[in-house]
Amino acid sequence: MNENLFSSFITPTMMGLPIVIAITMFPSIMLPSPSRLINNRLISIQQWLVQLTSKQMLSIHNQKGQTWALMLMSLILFIGSTNLLGLLPHSFTPTTQLSLNLGMAIPLWAGTVITGFRHKTKASLAHFLPQGTPLPLIPMLVVIETISLFIQPMALAVRLTANITAGHLLIHLIGGATLALMSISTITAMVTFTILILLTILEFAVALIQAYVFTLLVSLYLHDNT
């Protein structure tokens, strides 16, 4: 109970060196890869989920946008696996670090914007000034649209960080309350423990949903620029 509430979000180190790179690579090692002519059930389910997600996410894209299929599938698998990794006891969640999420959001957002300016220059510039705008409002609207464009990667990163961090804090607080109530009221402790189990199940869903939302928004940015 004397542990710092935010101690689980501190980047772990070994011999004074951060080991976050090894932690982020660990989930990809755990994902099985097909090596047989006939796959087992686990790999078949994995391939079915990847095909279902890619089909749903890439259905809105043209041929140029579909070239990002491998990038988008790798992104959703990476975020989903690291989110689930953080739900293990005494583990570290890389996606609670805003710097990591910005490191994913900014290059992907920049890639979609550069693609738009390269292949659809007029349409990309037209987003800064809606059609039929009164002449006195043109400078203000250009500034507002420019700010909204540059806020997109920040919104991506902050949304993912806030949702994952909030869930971990709730689990930590309710778990601490359950331990404290064990010596006071067993019935109340059992109620809070039930809430803790339900919240943990919810966090498993949130971990996958946030990975899907992050990738879907990147996909929508790409769709607007291809």
Side-chain angles (χ1 to χ4, degrees), residues 31 45 51 70 88 95 101 105 109 167 176 201 207:
L31 291 174
I45 293 174
Q51 290 175 0
L70 181 61
L88 297 175
T95 47
N101 296 334
W109 166 83
I201 296 173

PDB file of all heavy atoms in Angstrom, residues 31 45 51 70 88 95 101 105 109 167 176 201 207:
ATOM      1  N   LEU A  31       4.152 -14.410 -30.820  1.00  0.00           N
ATOM      2  CA  LEU A  31       3.170 -14.708 -31.862  1.00  0.00           C
ATOM      3  C   LEU A  31       3.665 -15.875 -32.713  1.00  0.00           C
ATOM      4  O   LEU A  31       4.769 -15.820 -33.260  1.00  0.00           O
ATOM      5  CB  LEU A  31       2.941 -13.470 -32.741  1.00  0.00           C
ATOM      6  CG  LEU A  31       2.224 -12.292 -32.076  1.00  0.00           C
ATOM      7  CD1 LEU A  31       2.195 -11.098 -33.006  1.00  0.00           C
ATOM      8  CD2 LEU A  31       0.818 -12.675 -31.656  1.00  0.00           C
ATOM      9  N   ILE A  45      -6.749 -19.593 -36.317  1.00  0.00           N
ATOM     10  CA  ILE A  45      -7.544 -18.511 -35.720  1.00  0.00           C
ATOM     11  C   ILE A  45      -6.828 -17.184 -35.893  1.00  0.00           C
ATOM     12  O   ILE A  45      -7.447 -16.153 -36.207  1.00  0.00           O
ATOM     13  CB  ILE A  45      -7.814 -18.813 -34.229  1.00  0.00           C
ATOM     14  CG1 ILE A  45      -8.735 -20.022 -34.091  1.00  0.00           C
ATOM     15  CG2 ILE A  45      -8.431 -17.597 -33.541  1.00  0.00           C
ATOM     16  CD1 ILE A  45      -8.940 -20.482 -32.659  1.00  0.00           C
ATOM     17  N   GLN A  51      -7.011 -11.681 -41.382  1.00  0.00           N
ATOM     18  CA  GLN A  51      -7.706 -11.494 -42.652  1.00  0.00           C
ATOM     19  C   GLN A  51      -9.010 -10.727 -42.474  1.00  0.00           C
ATOM     20  O   GLN A  51      -9.343  -9.848 -43.291  1.00  0.00           O
ATOM     21  CB  GLN A  51      -7.983 -12.858 -43.293  1.00  0.00           C
ATOM     22  CG  GLN A  51      -6.734 -13.565 -43.789  1.00  0.00           C
ATOM     23  CD  GLN A  51      -7.028 -14.961 -44.314  1.00  0.00           C
ATOM     24  OE1 GLN A  51      -8.178 -15.402 -44.302  1.00  0.00           O
ATOM     25  NE2 GLN A  51      -5.994 -15.666 -44.754  1.00  0.00           N
ATOM     26  N   LEU A  70       0.371  -4.053 -44.990  1.00  0.00           N
ATOM     27  CA  LEU A  70       1.322  -4.676 -44.064  1.00  0.00           C
ATOM     28  C   LEU A  70       1.634  -3.759 -42.893  1.00  0.00           C
ATOM     29  O   LEU A  70       1.719  -4.208 -41.743  1.00  0.00           O
ATOM     30  CB  LEU A  70       2.611  -5.047 -44.816  1.00  0.00           C
ATOM     31  CG  LEU A  70       3.697  -5.740 -43.981  1.00  0.00           C
ATOM     32  CD1 LEU A  70       3.177  -7.046 -43.415  1.00  0.00           C
ATOM     33  CD2 LEU A  70       4.942  -5.989 -44.833  1.00  0.00           C
ATOM     34  N   LEU A  88      -0.523  -8.308 -17.483  1.00  0.00           N
ATOM     35  CA  LEU A  88       0.087  -9.342 -16.658  1.00  0.00           C
ATOM     36  C   LEU A  88       0.616  -8.724 -15.368  1.00  0.00           C
ATOM     37  O   LEU A  88       1.063  -7.570 -15.357  1.00  0.00           O
ATOM     38  CB  LEU A  88       1.226 -10.022 -17.416  1.00  0.00           C
ATOM     39  CG  LEU A  88       0.836 -10.775 -18.689  1.00  0.00           C
ATOM     40  CD1 LEU A  88       2.081 -11.298 -19.387  1.00  0.00           C
ATOM     41  CD2 LEU A  88      -0.122 -11.903 -18.369  1.00  0.00           C
ATOM     42  N   THR A  95       2.803   1.176 -24.013  1.00  0.00           N
ATOM     43  CA  THR A  95       1.865   2.147 -24.574  1.00  0.00           C
ATOM     44  C   THR A  95       1.329   3.136 -23.546  1.00  0.00           C
ATOM     45  O   THR A  95       0.520   3.990 -23.894  1.00  0.00           O
ATOM     46  CB  THR A  95       0.683   1.412 -25.241  1.00  0.00           C
ATOM     47  OG1 THR A  95       0.188   0.392 -24.370  1.00  0.00           O
ATOM     48  CG2 THR A  95       1.106   0.784 -26.543  1.00  0.00           C
ATOM     49  N   ASN A 101       4.068   6.488 -27.947  1.00  0.00           N
ATOM     50  CA  ASN A 101       2.880   6.656 -28.788  1.00  0.00           C
ATOM     51  C   ASN A 101       3.066   7.783 -29.795  1.00  0.00           C
ATOM     52  O   ASN A 101       2.594   7.694 -30.933  1.00  0.00           O
ATOM     53  CB  ASN A 101       1.660   6.911 -27.904  1.00  0.00           C
ATOM     54  CG  ASN A 101       1.342   5.726 -27.007  1.00  0.00           C
ATOM     55  OD1 ASN A 101       1.683   4.597 -27.337  1.00  0.00           O
ATOM     56  ND2 ASN A 101       0.714   5.974 -25.878  1.00  0.00           N
ATOM     57  N   ALA A 105       2.735   7.703 -33.770  1.00  0.00           N
ATOM     58  CA  ALA A 105       1.704   8.527 -34.409  1.00  0.00           C
ATOM     59  C   ALA A 105       2.289   9.530 -35.405  1.00  0.00           C
ATOM     60  O   ALA A 105       1.768   9.678 -36.516  1.00  0.00           O
ATOM     61  CB  ALA A 105       0.886   9.252 -33.340  1.00  0.00           C
ATOM     62  N   TRP A 109       1.324   9.635 -39.325  1.00  0.00           N
ATOM     63  CA  TRP A 109       0.546  10.804 -39.760  1.00  0.00           C
ATOM     64  C   TRP A 109       1.300  11.575 -40.832  1.00  0.00           C
ATOM     65  O   TRP A 109       0.711  11.986 -41.846  1.00  0.00           O
ATOM     66  CB  TRP A 109       0.261  11.687 -38.542  1.00  0.00           C
ATOM     67  CG  TRP A 109      -0.222  13.052 -38.894  1.00  0.00           C
ATOM     68  CD1 TRP A 109      -1.505  13.428 -39.207  1.00  0.00           C
ATOM     69  CD2 TRP A 109       0.573  14.249 -38.990  1.00  0.00           C
ATOM     70  NE1 TRP A 109      -1.539  14.768 -39.478  1.00  0.00           N
ATOM     71  CE2 TRP A 109      -0.287  15.294 -39.348  1.00  0.00           C
ATOM     72  CE3 TRP A 109       1.920  14.519 -38.781  1.00  0.00           C
ATOM     73  CZ2 TRP A 109       0.164  16.600 -39.522  1.00  0.00           C
ATOM     74  CZ3 TRP A 109       2.377  15.811 -38.943  1.00  0.00           C
ATOM     75  CH2 TRP A 109       1.512  16.837 -39.316  1.00  0.00           C
ATOM     76  N   GLY A 167      -7.079   2.800 -17.181  1.00  0.00           N
ATOM     77  CA  GLY A 167      -7.471   1.443 -16.804  1.00  0.00           C
ATOM     78  C   GLY A 167      -6.516   0.814 -15.809  1.00  0.00           C
ATOM     79  O   GLY A 167      -6.943   0.166 -14.842  1.00  0.00           O
ATOM     80  N   GLY A 176      -5.856  -2.378  -4.435  1.00  0.00           N
ATOM     81  CA  GLY A 176      -5.408  -1.933  -3.114  1.00  0.00           C
ATOM     82  C   GLY A 176      -6.551  -1.821  -2.129  1.00  0.00           C
ATOM     83  O   GLY A 176      -6.400  -2.172  -0.943  1.00  0.00           O
ATOM     84  N   ILE A 201     -11.608  -7.826 -16.989  1.00  0.00           N
ATOM     85  CA  ILE A 201     -12.176  -8.304 -18.260  1.00  0.00           C
ATOM     86  C   ILE A 201     -12.410  -7.133 -19.204  1.00  0.00           C
ATOM     87  O   ILE A 201     -12.132  -7.216 -20.419  1.00  0.00           O
ATOM     88  CB  ILE A 201     -13.480  -9.075 -17.991  1.00  0.00           C
ATOM     89  CG1 ILE A 201     -13.197 -10.335 -17.167  1.00  0.00           C
ATOM     90  CG2 ILE A 201     -14.179  -9.441 -19.299  1.00  0.00           C
ATOM     91  CD1 ILE A 201     -14.445 -11.063 -16.712  1.00  0.00           C
ATOM     92  N   ALA A 207      -7.957  -2.958 -24.264  1.00  0.00           N
ATOM     93  CA  ALA A 207      -6.631  -3.116 -24.857  1.00  0.00           C
ATOM     94  C   ALA A 207      -6.734  -3.403 -26.348  1.00  0.00           C
ATOM     95  O   ALA A 207      -5.967  -2.855 -27.159  1.00  0.00           O
ATOM     96  CB  ALA A 207      -5.876  -4.236 -24.149  1.00  0.00           C
TER      97      ALA A 207
END
